Amino acid sequence: MDALSVADSLVKEYLLFRGFTSTIRAFETDKKQDKSKSFQSERIVEHILLCVTTSDLLGLRDTWSFLQKRFFSRLQGRFIDTANKLTTALYRYYLVAAVQNSKTEKVVEFFKVMSEELLLKPDEWISWFCLPYTAHPESNPTFQPYFNKQWIDTFSTSLSNFVLTVFQNLPLPQLLSFNIARLERKSLESEVERLKAELDRVRVQLDTLKMQHHRDMFGEATEIKTRNPEIPVPAVQSVVQTAGTPSPHSITDNERSNSRSTDRLSGSDEPFVIVSQEVLTGHTGSINRCRFSEDGGTVASASADATVRIWPLDAAPTHRNATVFCTSEVLSLEWAVKSPKLLLLGTADRQVKLWNVDTKRVVSEMNTDADMPRIIDIASSPTDPTFVTAVAAVASSSSTSVTPGRLLVWDLKTSRVEKILPLQPSALQINTVRYNHNGNMLVSGGVDGMIRIFDTVSCTPIMGWPAHQGDVLSVRFSSDETTVFSLGTDGKVLEWSLHKIRKVLQTFSFNGVYSSNGSAPQPVSVADMVFDHEGKHLLVSSPYNSGVIFQMNQPDPIQRLGGHNGPVTSVDWHPTMHLCLTGSADHSIRVRKVVSRTTLRTSPSSSSRPSLGFNSYHYPLRKGSADNK
């Protein structure tokens, strides 16, 4: 009956819509006199026990008679017998309470009013007619059990359970049946999620068996697929490292060798197994940003070639495949959290565009001020329909001048700037911005090497400190949001405490990740980093043609994801799937399916043949999470 109040309000709304005002008044009057107490069993039992303790025989008979005629009379035979026994016990409890309260006149009144009804059951009541005239009935063997507190408590509990059971099994009108359908749907959704999690575990094991099969036959092999938007999707061929003549679209032996060698750090026990890999090619300029969609079925990439490409992976609908042409280099890109079909992108000539990946059109186009044409970074709020852009002026050729910049907060619905976050001590270029989990805090990193944290509710700076000798290129909150991670042009990845300002908790080293020929890295101005779904590993872009994986509390890298022929400029790791990607200055994006060895060891075995397509592999929902509500 949880939906009763909702149904009542719907009925009143309908009557008001029809103009039945007199019916509404009658409805309200009947509600006030509702003897069923809105089918709340605890309220009915409370009223009955109150009538007993106050010796209100009229109120007790009226309420119990209503329950018998309205509900108990419709019960099956065995339940009717239970209702009759409760009736006898209730009246006996009334008499016991009257005796305990020294209200002998109420006992006499009870037998006078109820005598005709009681004489219909002489076996149950004939001995009770002498109760008003019995001295110390609590000591009389006939009445003594009913004066026992245990009997009274047992009766009260039985009465409550019986009334509750009757109400729970009432046939509901169609108006109230919607709540049952809602509960059934929630139950079915929970079952579907459970089955999905089970399917995911089986798929992981199947993929592992297929990968082991390739290793047994061909050595350390990873299935690699290459895709170019100019080539029809059916023509894309899967390439496995075997002898023979390469296909026109396959990866060369040298590329495979480079991919295999750069994915391994010598002497390391790599925590992640690369099950399969797909190479996305088609851009003609360096990749500035690439991001997974919320469902993991689509990758969006922004490039210096003034285009944004939408790449549907194997499990995604191919109609999403698209190219967005802009008038200048696309510097920033982010999926809108509150509108997952919308893609936010920022260019070097003042344009902020909202692209709908389903309709393949620009939903809205905004412009920044002319003195701040470059949209360096974009962050979408996880809770509100807002996003932040870090905008900056055109960089000066002078090495001593500082590039001005601003942080603008936009309303996604109105496409207007709502607020400007204050930058102290001066308004200079911000390279990177990121929200915390509830959108109440925003962390940023600037060209002055400073990290700044803002309260997004009051739009005021909370704290700030110098972090790097040079630009801060990327910042992230830790999974527990007690620390901040930063990546700078000084080549350092640092973890900072939010409880003790300027305190460095960890320093991660890039030693050991130089390219195979030992050459110095190419200078890059775009960098990125991201956590895995557990927050225990950090994937960082690097100028050494590979993405580097660090593990918390270990200063040295534990694995790298290579295969590129240029610096890795952007990385992403899907928060719920076994997918990560690296974007590079060599114009390509590599999407990998990676599985931790811990997951492999705990996965159930299976003998079925696996598929290495990029299907959606969800982790089971954790207890207490927002998605489990």
Side-chain angles (χ1 to χ4, degrees), residues 564-592:
H564 291 288
N565 295 317
V568 171
T569 53
S570 184
V571 295
D572 197 15
W573 206 324
H574 197 278
T576 60
M577 299 182 185
H578 300 284
L579 297 176
C580 69
L581 61 78
T582 53
S584 171
D586 67 1
H587 312 168
S588 72
I589 302 157
R590 288 178 176 257
V591 183
R592 298 170 176 86

Side-chain angles (χ1 to χ4, degrees), residues 38-269:
S38 298
F39 298 98
Q40 298 181 33
S41 60
E42 65 276 4
R43 289 183 57 195
I44 288 185
V45 172
E46 181 182 351
H47 176 71
I48 290 174
L49 297 181
L50 179 64
C51 291
V52 169
T53 54
T54 58
S55 299
D56 181 6
L57 181 59
L58 182 60
L60 179 63
R61 290 190 67 193
D62 186 51
T63 301
W64 194 253
S65 176
F66 167 77
L67 293 176
Q68 285 182 314
K69 293 178 181 178
R70 177 73 186 278
F71 304 111
F72 301 164
S73 61
R74 304 178 184 180
L75 297 175
Q76 297 178 0
R78 59 192 182 94
F79 293 112
I80 291 178
D81 185 55
T82 302
N84 292 334
K85 290 180 179 179
L86 282 174
T87 302
T88 301
L90 176 63
Y91 289 151
R92 288 177 176 177
Y93 180 37
Y94 175 88
L95 293 173
V96 168
V99 171
Q100 288 178 330
N101 294 327
S102 303
K103 296 181 179 180
T104 308
E105 71 280 3
K106 292 293 183 180
V107 178
V108 174
E109 178 193 28
F110 174 85
F111 286 110
K112 182 182 293 186
V113 173
M114 301 288 295
S115 58
E116 291 185 6
E117 180 179 338
L118 299 180
L119 289 174
L120 296 176
K121 303 176 182 179
D123 294 340
E124 295 179 358
W125 286 102
I126 195 67
S127 60
W128 281 77
F129 278 91
C130 65
L131 178 64
Y133 314 104
T134 303
H136 306 294
E138 64 275 6
S139 302
N140 189 290
T142 302
F143 311 118
Q144 184 179 12
Y146 303 97
F147 285 87
N148 190 296
K149 185 178 184 303
Q150 184 177 357
W151 179 87
I152 296 174
D153 292 341
T154 302
F155 165 73
S156 301
T157 302
S158 300
L159 179 63
S160 300
N161 293 339
F162 182 74
V163 175
L164 177 62
T165 303
V166 169
F167 284 171
Q168 286 180 340
N169 289 276
L170 285 176
L172 296 179
Q174 291 186 3
L175 187 60
L176 290 177
S177 297
F178 76 92
N179 193 48
I180 295 178
R182 181 181 65 85
L183 294 175
E184 290 178 348
R185 184 174 66 253
K186 288 184 67 176
S187 176
L188 291 174
E189 288 173 351
S190 299
E191 180 66 13
V192 168
E193 289 299 327
R194 187 189 68 78
L195 293 175
K196 280 183 177 180
E198 182 67 24
L199 180 61
D200 291 343
R201 288 192 291 270
V202 174
R203 279 176 170 172
V204 168
Q205 182 65 23
L206 294 178
D207 285 348
T208 306
L209 294 174
K210 182 63 177 286
M211 180 192 63
Q212 187 63 47
H213 172 69
H214 280 294
R215 284 182 173 177
D216 293 342
M217 294 184 65
F218 312 114
E220 291 287 334
T222 297
E223 184 184 50
I224 303 177
K225 297 200 297 188
T226 180
R227 185 192 302 184
N228 188 297
E230 305 302 325
I231 304 171
V233 173
V236 176
Q237 299 186 23
S238 179
V239 181
V240 181
Q241 297 169 8
T242 61
T245 304
S247 68
H249 309 300
S250 65
I251 295 177
T252 66
D253 292 339
N254 290 336
E255 286 177 302
R256 290 195 212 101
S257 176
N258 183 37
S259 173
R260 193 164 59 245
S261 63
T262 54
D263 281 356
R264 179 176 296 276
L265 291 170
S266 59
S268 65
D269 184 13

Side-chain angles (χ1 to χ4, degrees), residues 392-610:
V394 177
S396 172
S397 58
S398 172
S399 59
T400 58
S401 62
V402 178
T403 307
R406 297 191 191 105
L407 286 179
L408 308 178
V409 182
W410 300 77
D411 189 315
L412 197 60
K413 296 179 179 178
T414 63
S415 300
R416 296 178 182 274
V417 176
E418 279 191 330
K419 305 161 189 172
I420 300 178
L421 299 179
L423 295 175
Q424 299 172 356
S426 61
L428 43 74
Q429 176 178 322
I430 298 298
N431 293 324
T432 175
V433 286
R434 188 62 51 183
Y435 280 98
N436 72 331
H437 79 286
N438 60 13
N440 288 337
M441 289 195 298
L442 181 82
V443 61
S444 70
V447 295
D448 57 352
M450 288 279 292
I451 291 177
R452 297 172 174 86
I453 297 181
F454 298 87
D455 180 344
T456 58
V457 178
S458 62
C459 292
T460 56
I462 301 174
M463 62 184 79
W465 63 91
H468 291 271
Q469 297 294 325
D471 290 25
V472 179
L473 297 178
S474 184
V475 288
R476 286 288 189 278
F477 284 101
S478 63
S479 57
D480 59 5
E481 299 187 355
T482 60
T483 62
V484 165
F485 287 76
S486 63
L487 169 63
T489 54
D490 55 7
K492 295 180 180 178
V493 178
L494 304 174
E495 181 184 14
W496 301 88
S497 171
L498 291 181
H499 300 304
K500 295 182 179 180
I501 307 302
R502 304 192 183 193
K503 180 177 177 59
V504 177
L505 300 180
Q506 290 187 81
T507 300
F508 298 91
S509 170
F510 272 95
N511 295 332
V513 294
Y514 289 91
S515 56
S516 56
N517 59 12
S519 60
Q522 304 177 36
V524 292
S525 59
V526 181
D528 205 2
M529 60 182 177
V530 64
F531 283 101
D532 70 344
H533 75 286
E534 293 180 332
K536 296 179 180 179
H537 297 90
L538 186 68
L539 174 59
V540 185
S541 64
S542 81
Y544 307 110
N545 303 357
S546 63
V548 183
I549 299 179
F550 292 94
Q551 184 170 318
M552 297 300 99
N553 303 317
Q554 291 191 26
D556 296 321
I558 58 173
Q559 189 172 347
R560 65 178 179 178
L561 307 176
H564 291 288
N565 295 317
V568 171
T569 53
S570 184
V571 295
D572 197 15
W573 206 324
H574 197 278
T576 60
M577 299 182 185
H578 300 284
L579 297 176
C580 69
L581 61 78
T582 53
S584 171
D586 67 1
H587 312 168
S588 72
I589 302 157
R590 288 178 176 257
V591 183
R592 298 170 176 86
K593 184 188 299 181
V594 294
V595 183
S596 69
R597 294 189 185 275
T598 304
T599 302
L600 296 181
R601 285 193 292 267
T602 57
S603 298
S605 60
S606 176
S607 59
S608 303
R609 293 184 59 83

Side-chain angles (χ1 to χ4, degrees), residues 268-462:
S268 65
D269 184 13
E270 295 172 341
F272 294 99
V273 175
I274 301 174
V275 176
S276 58
Q277 183 176 163
E278 185 171 4
V279 183
L280 309 178
T281 61
H283 282 293
T284 58
S286 176
I287 306 298
N288 289 329
R289 282 288 182 268
C290 45
R291 295 286 184 264
F292 286 113
S293 62
E294 183 182 38
D295 61 6
T298 308
V299 170
S301 58
S303 172
D305 64 5
T307 65
V308 170
R309 291 186 181 271
I310 314 298
W311 313 83
L313 301 180
D314 287 359
T318 56
H319 72 265
R320 281 193 170 186
N321 198 355
T323 301
V324 185
F325 294 94
C326 301
T327 57
S328 65
E329 178 179 3
V330 185
L331 301 175
S332 53
L333 176 145
E334 190 69 56
W335 293 91
V337 178
K338 298 301 289 183
S339 302
K341 295 180 181 179
L342 289 183
L343 188 64
L344 300 162
L345 53 100
T347 69
D349 63 350
R350 303 176 54 198
Q351 290 184 332
V352 179
K353 294 185 178 183
L354 272 68
W355 172 268
N356 189 306
V357 295
D358 283 348
T359 61
K360 293 186 179 181
R361 66 184 183 90
V362 175
V363 176
S364 178
E365 187 171 324
M366 299 146 277
N367 291 313
T368 60
D369 294 337
D371 61 333
M372 300 282 177
R374 295 188 302 144
I375 293 87
I376 306 297
D377 198 14
I378 297 177
S380 176
S381 171
T383 54
D384 300 317
T386 59
F387 64 96
V388 170
T389 57
V391 300
V394 177
S396 172
S397 58
S398 172
S399 59
T400 58
S401 62
V402 178
T403 307
R406 297 191 191 105
L407 286 179
L408 308 178
V409 182
W410 300 77
D411 189 315
L412 197 60
K413 296 179 179 178
T414 63
S415 300
R416 296 178 182 274
V417 176
E418 279 191 330
K419 305 161 189 172
I420 300 178
L421 299 179
L423 295 175
Q424 299 172 356
S426 61
L428 43 74
Q429 176 178 322
I430 298 298
N431 293 324
T432 175
V433 286
R434 188 62 51 183
Y435 280 98
N436 72 331
H437 79 286
N438 60 13
N440 288 337
M441 289 195 298
L442 181 82
V443 61
S444 70
V447 295
D448 57 352
M450 288 279 292
I451 291 177
R452 297 172 174 86
I453 297 181
F454 298 87
D455 180 344
T456 58
V457 178
S458 62
C459 292
T460 56
I462 301 174

